[in-house]
Amino acid sequence: MQSTQITSTMAIVPSEVVLPIQPPNINSEFKNTLSSRINLFDGFDQSFSELSNPYQPVLPLMQRDSISSANSYYNNPTQNSRSYDHTHNSNNETIHLRSQQQKENQEFFSLKTRTMHNVPWAALIVSGCMIVYVVFLGIASYSPSFVPEKSYGIYHAIIGNMPEKYQKMVSNTSNDPWEHCELPKYDVWDEQIIPYVNPDRNPLKDCDRTFKPLTELKNSSWSIVSNNKNLECRARCHWRKTDRSNKIGDWIRTPGPIDCEFVEAACSENKQDVYGYLHSQVIPKPAIKKPTIETSGLMQFDVFVILLDSLSYSQGKRSLPRTLSYFTNHMDGVIFPYVNKIGENSRPNGVPIWFGKSLEKVDKSLFGEKVVPPDWSYKYFCKTFKDNETSLFSEFHDYGYRTLLAEDWAEGTMNWPNCVGFDKPPIDHFMRPFQNAYERRNHGTALTQKHLKGGHLCRQTHNTLLDYMGQFTEAYPDQKKFGWLWAIDLGHNSENGFHHADKDFHNYLIKYRKQLENSFVFILGDHGLRFGGIRDTFIGALDVNNPFTALSIPRVLRKTTNILEYLTENAKHIQSHYDTRATILDIMKTLSLLMYDHKFEGATLYTVTAEMKEPSRAQFKGNVKVVGDEITVLGMVERSNKYGKTAECVRSEYHRPYCYCRDQQIGS
């Protein structure tokens, strides 16, 4: 398993500088035995190997005695300065020795004058250069000892003489770096953070809130909704040709039916374009009648992922108060504060979740262990289409799900900077044509490619993602769905990019609350903020490695199973994106017959769904209790679909829902 390498000189905890100590030899016994949850809500019987810990203090590499010496070095000022309080006798001896040295020097210089012409100047110059090099090397080696105490330069202490408020975050009780893990507890509003936080930053504060789109796309038909009779409007379709180009349809100047998911609309007045807009819709596909994987024994739920690029745990707590309040209180969502990124930027964090493959090596040399090579080389990832690789999207499709991927960047996780991505994406609804029309040359009109910039229309790229995800949520009321939204623009370059969008994500959760109540909903980050002065703070140093992760489970599972308890317990431990992937796979594969953990008498409860064969197609749902080999039906078995007049021949209202008359009435 891949994890973040611990090789940076960035502070784990800011504090006074500690004189570096040469580490002892690392023996082969240092190995990863850190027990991690294989998924976020499972039990504790599975081990996730090779998980490194960004918060683990590097205690085993520094002997306890050496640490004490370093502490005493700073605590004892007399050891941190030179003493010139010599005794009288030592002064006399020094003067006598200096006299002898002067005589010897006179003889030496006399001899030097006579033999100077025999000196090998080239060798002397080389020797002098070597001496200077050695001197400077020595100074560089011991330069940390000259850094003032309480300095916040390159060298930050990771153990030793720390500020009192952070001393409890580390432990020196273990000699094995994999045996113990002290996770930090800190104030997300730490005083160091305050200068970098501006909750009032809003790029839309001056936008025109009275503006309404001049065109509309609804039910696969486009129309002009402006009352301005002087407008001449037109529309055209955008389909995906490749990841980096669209197939663009001809302009249609008569409003009416249109058979694509992404429609560019433009309006002109006096032959001058005054409006450009991109619409989206989800055109539902027929139900998957026979999934590749047999699913009759599975209780399946919708899965929705909202990933906000560069959102860390602490930044999420600061920037999304309304969204997280609703998510944790109404949806019983659980936040995981100790999730560790597994790569530097978006791609090496996203690909392991989607494909389960690492793109970066794991450098474990700090602990004297071998480097773990990546699963996929850069060449293979970038130069080979990934259509035939197993991904979450293809797996969900095999289980009968309809899938969606919406990113607000035309390059995206699979393509940046020069990678081929997919040839034929295993995704039912892929938003890439929208981004191509908005960003790429010769794809959209000038006004179309500006309408999301500058905040004039009170609309940003993340709004378009939420629109598309909402359309997807409503398009398949009777089919299972897996949707992934990846918002890149908001917070990629700024600590303050998410505040103003809090209401948008909050509104999405409320608007689609009925559908989401029966779904697994993830709110994720890929990593923390990677740029800016905030990286120099204690919180910022943690944030870059600590992506936000939260999960809400379907309401039916919250009180009838122990899954919520497992989530809450696992949130106290370190996790990684691999655990998130394992959780998503478990949702897809292992929620068999919705098994309930009954809390007494050793019983297990099941909800069982049954469907009759043709011609009735009657559907029934009931609860059963299993104790040993005994099965008991609990309460009434209910008819769960409409049956109209198909049972009119039965007089008993009690029996009618279970029956189907042989002779059907016409028009029934």
Side-chain angles (χ1 to χ4, degrees):
M1 168 179 170
Q2 182 179 5
S3 58
T4 303
Q5 62 190 38
I6 310 178
T7 58
S8 173
T9 56
M10 175 56 65
I12 294 179
V13 179
S15 68
E16 295 83 352
V17 176
V18 176
L19 183 64
I21 303 299
Q22 181 67 29
N25 293 329
I26 307 299
N27 58 48
S28 59
E29 295 179 356
F30 281 135
K31 59 184 178 180
N32 187 349
T33 58
L34 178 63
S35 177
S36 172
R37 270 44 55 195
I38 193 65
N39 65 64
L40 304 183
F41 60 66
D42 201 24
F44 307 99
D45 59 337
Q46 302 186 64
S47 176
F48 208 87
S49 63
E50 304 298 336
L51 177 59
S52 185
N53 174 13
Y55 312 119
Q56 179 69 40
V58 193
L59 180 63
L61 300 188
M62 303 179 71
Q63 299 290 342
R64 188 182 304 272
D65 293 341
S66 299
I67 298 172
S68 301
S69 300
N71 287 335
S72 63
Y73 174 84
Y74 286 107
N75 294 331
N76 186 353
T78 62
Q79 294 184 18
N80 201 16
S81 60
R82 295 182 179 178
S83 175
Y84 295 95
D85 185 18
H86 303 292
T87 62
H88 176 72
N89 291 336
S90 62
N91 285 340
N92 288 339
E93 293 173 358
T94 301
I95 294 172
H96 177 69
L97 180 60
R98 188 175 301 166
S99 177
Q100 290 181 339
Q101 290 175 341
Q102 290 175 349
K103 292 181 180 179
E104 294 173 356
N105 288 341
Q106 291 176 355
E107 295 176 357
F108 171 77
F109 286 119
S110 176
L111 178 62
K112 181 179 179 182
T113 302
R114 294 193 301 268
T115 61
M116 187 172 296
H117 62 278
N118 293 327
V119 174
W121 290 106
L124 185 61
I125 293 174
V126 172
S127 299
C129 291
M130 290 298 297
I131 293 172
V132 172
Y133 170 77
V134 171
V135 170
F136 275 100
L137 182 62
I139 294 174
S141 300
Y142 289 94
S143 58
S145 64
F146 303 125
V147 179
E149 192 173 359
K150 301 181 186 295
S151 169
Y152 288 87
I154 294 178
Y155 295 93
H156 291 178
I158 53 179
I159 57 171
N161 193 20
M162 297 181 180
E164 184 176 354
K165 65 184 293 187
Y166 299 132
Q167 285 181 0
K168 295 181 180 180
M169 294 182 186
V170 297
S171 171
N172 55 4
T173 60
S174 173
N175 289 325
D176 191 326
W178 310 113
E179 288 292 336
H180 189 68
C181 178
E182 287 285 351
L183 300 174
K185 294 178 175 60
Y186 56 87
D187 181 7
V188 300
W189 290 98
D190 188 274
E191 187 65 29
Q192 293 181 359
I193 287 289
I194 299 300
Y196 299 95
V197 177
N198 179 15
D200 296 327
R201 180 183 179 274
N202 184 2
L204 301 180
K205 64 180 180 179
D206 297 324
C207 70
D208 182 4
R209 301 193 181 278
T210 64
F211 172 82
K212 301 294 182 182
L214 306 182
T215 55
E216 183 180 66
L217 176 63
K218 189 175 183 180
N219 298 326
S220 295
S221 180
W222 79 279
S223 60
I224 304 171
V225 294
S226 172
N227 295 324
N228 186 347
K229 302 300 182 181
N230 295 322
L231 283 179
E232 294 182 357
C233 296
R234 59 196 188 275
R236 62 181 178 181
C237 282
H238 286 260
W239 297 275
R240 179 189 175 277
K241 183 177 180 181
T242 69
D243 278 359
R244 288 188 168 90
S245 65
N246 288 349
K247 175 186 175 183
I248 305 174
D250 296 329
W251 286 111
I252 303 172
R253 300 183 183 275
T254 303
I258 197 162
D259 62 348
C260 58
E261 295 200 340
F262 306 105
V263 176
E264 179 187 7
C267 295
S268 61
E269 190 171 6
N270 298 324
K271 298 184 178 181
Q272 179 69 37
D273 277 354
V274 295
Y275 170 83
Y277 202 88
L278 283 169
H279 297 278
S280 67
Q281 64 178 349
V282 170
I283 301 176
K285 298 182 178 182
I288 302 174
K289 294 183 178 180
K290 189 175 181 181
T292 305
I293 305 297
E294 176 60 46
T295 61
S296 59
L298 299 178
M299 177 63 74
Q300 296 179 304
F301 296 91
D302 292 344
V303 181
F304 297 99
V305 180
I306 299 174
L307 191 150
L308 306 180
D309 201 289
S310 302
L311 181 70
S312 69
Y313 163 72
S314 74
Q315 192 176 20
K317 298 278 282 187
R318 291 188 297 270
S319 301
L320 303 174
R322 285 196 289 188
T323 300
L324 296 185
S325 175
Y326 182 85
F327 190 78
T328 55
N329 291 299
H330 181 74
M331 299 175 65
D332 292 325
V334 177
I335 299 176
F336 291 77
Y338 304 121
V339 174
N340 185 29
K341 73 174 184 179
I342 53 180
E344 174 61 22
N345 51 31
S346 297
R347 185 176 62 203
N349 285 290
V351 169
I353 303 179
W354 288 351
F355 296 90
K357 301 296 184 181
S358 61
L359 298 182
E360 293 182 354
K361 68 179 181 180
V362 183
D363 188 349
K364 300 168 69 175
S365 59
L366 177 63
F367 301 106
E369 299 185 15
K370 294 181 179 179
V371 171
V372 179
D375 295 319
W376 287 350
S377 67
Y378 177 85
K379 181 179 180 180
Y380 175 74
F381 174 78
C382 277
K383 305 306 178 184
T384 304
F385 288 118
K386 294 298 170 289
D387 300 31
N388 294 327
E389 291 289 349
T390 301
S391 68
L392 288 180
F393 300 100
S394 61
E395 288 192 87
F396 269 99
H397 190 273
D398 289 344
Y399 276 80
Y401 281 72
R402 289 302 181 187
T403 58
L404 172 143
L405 174 60
E407 301 169 288
D408 60 352
W409 184 29
E411 289 298 304
T413 306
M414 296 295 295
N415 300 106
W416 185 88
N418 56 358
C419 303
V420 296
F422 290 114
D423 182 24
K424 298 178 181 179
I427 303 165
D428 294 310
H429 303 279
F430 190 17
M431 201 175 177
R432 182 58 57 83
F434 187 105
Q435 278 72 45
N436 285 339
Y438 176 61
E439 296 182 34
R440 298 197 186 279
R441 181 179 300 179
N442 300 324
H443 275 65
T445 68
L447 288 181
T448 297
Q449 296 193 331
K450 292 180 181 178
H451 83 287
L452 298 175
K453 298 177 180 177
H456 175 64
L457 303 186
C458 303
R459 189 186 192 216
Q460 293 183 295
T461 56
H462 73 279
N463 300 116
T464 68
L465 302 183
L466 290 171
D467 289 345
Y468 195 48
M469 181 79 95
Q471 294 157 4
F472 178 67
T473 305
E474 293 181 325
Y476 294 102
D478 300 321
Q479 294 190 55
K480 295 308 173 187
K481 300 172 286 295
F482 172 63
W484 190 293
L485 178 158
W486 193 317
I488 298 168
D489 278 352
L490 276 175
H492 189 268
N493 298 320
S494 172
E495 162 68 26
N496 300 299
F498 297 107
H499 296 286
H500 73 283
D502 184 19
K503 66 182 185 302
D504 299 322
F505 296 104
H506 180 227
N507 290 339
Y508 169 81
L509 296 179
I510 293 178
K511 182 176 180 179
Y512 299 102
R513 62 189 180 279
K514 296 300 182 181
Q515 295 93 328
L516 299 181
E517 284 295 332
N518 296 313
S519 307
F520 286 89
V521 182
F522 291 82
I523 301 179
L524 305 177
D526 51 349
H527 50 74
L529 184 63
R530 298 167 55 222
F531 313 105
I534 197 170
R535 286 287 307 274
D536 296 330
T537 67
F538 165 68
I539 305 297
L542 289 179
D543 274 356
V544 70
N545 295 316
N546 187 200
F548 188 89
T549 301
L551 171 60
S552 171
I553 66 176
R555 179 178 290 274
V556 69
L557 299 180
R558 297 174 197 169
K559 295 182 179 180
T560 55
T561 73
N562 288 333
I563 291 178
L564 201 56
E565 295 179 19
Y566 296 154
L567 285 172
T568 304
E569 179 62 29
N570 281 340
K572 301 174 184 177
H573 303 275
I574 191 168
Q575 308 285 348
S576 81
H577 289 315
Y578 286 111
D579 298 290
T580 303
R581 172 180 169 80
T583 302
I584 295 174
L585 291 175
D586 258 11
I587 293 169
M588 181 189 353
K589 298 178 180 180
T590 63
L591 289 176
S592 177
L593 286 178
L594 188 56
M595 188 178 76
Y596 290 80
D597 296 326
H598 200 38
K599 295 184 178 180
F600 46 86
E601 297 181 357
T604 302
L605 300 182
Y606 293 88
T607 291
V608 179
T609 300
E611 182 175 348
M612 301 296 102
K613 295 181 179 181
E614 295 285 0
S616 75
R617 305 294 294 180
Q619 295 178 1
F620 301 97
K621 181 179 290 186
N623 296 322
V624 298
K625 178 180 179 180
V626 180
V627 181
D629 295 330
E630 182 180 352
I631 301 176
T632 305
V633 177
L634 302 177
M636 180 181 292
V637 176
E638 299 177 345
R639 179 74 178 260
S640 58
N641 66 335
K642 294 181 180 181
Y643 54 91
K645 297 181 179 181
T646 60
E648 285 294 300
C649 61
V650 179
R651 294 184 179 182
S652 170
E653 293 185 3
Y654 178 81
H655 293 95
R656 189 175 298 144
Y658 305 99
C659 297
Y660 183 86
C661 295
R662 182 177 299 172
D663 296 326
Q664 292 294 302
Q665 297 181 15
I666 298 176
S668 63

